[in-house]
Amino acid sequence: DTEYDDAKEWRRRVKEASKKRKVALKEGNTVRFSVPIEFESGHILDTFTVVKYRGKFVFENNGKLYRIRKYRDREFEVM
């Protein structure tokens, strides 16, 4: 039974992680991350506009572009 419970829990975590990755971003979307992100510049931000730059998504805030690595692994909402 413990093995079965572990398997159920693993499937639940996989399903939850899959839901997070299903959000398809489009250029112009505004996104808000649930946990603010601190950048090397010292800026701490949570809300961005999605911009396509050289074929990849980057995030814009107040005219500055930010690259957020593994953004799909972070919890966010499209506004």
Side-chain angles (χ1 to χ4, degrees), residues 30-39 43-49 59-61 66 68 74-79:
T30 299
V31 296
R32 178 179 292 145
F33 289 90
S34 60
V35 176
I37 301 168
E38 184 172 357
F39 295 92
H43 295 127
I44 300 172
L45 306 166
D46 67 352
T47 305
F48 303 87
T49 301
F59 299 84
E60 184 269 332
N61 182 292
Y66 298 88
I68 302 173
R74 298 175 183 265
E75 192 173 310
F76 65 89
E77 63 176 324
V78 177
M79 319 246 327

Side-chain angles (χ1 to χ4, degrees), residues 5-71:
D5 291 339
D6 290 345
K8 283 174 35 179
E9 175 61 19
W10 178 81
R11 281 194 290 279
R12 185 195 64 74
R13 287 193 320 263
V14 168
K15 189 175 182 178
E16 188 65 32
S18 174
K19 285 180 186 177
K20 289 181 187 177
R21 292 187 178 99
K22 287 184 181 178
V23 175
L25 292 183
K26 296 178 187 169
E27 189 169 20
N29 284 151
T30 299
V31 296
R32 178 179 292 145
F33 289 90
S34 60
V35 176
I37 301 168
E38 184 172 357
F39 295 92
E40 289 181 9
S41 64
H43 295 127
I44 300 172
L45 306 166
D46 67 352
T47 305
F48 303 87
T49 301
V50 177
V51 178
K52 208 153 201 181
Y53 179 74
R54 294 187 179 178
K56 296 186 180 195
F57 285 135
V58 294
F59 299 84
E60 184 269 332
N61 182 292
N62 283 334
K64 296 184 188 224
L65 298 179
Y66 298 88
R67 189 172 109 197
I68 302 173
R69 293 180 185 199
K70 297 185 178 182
Y71 68 87

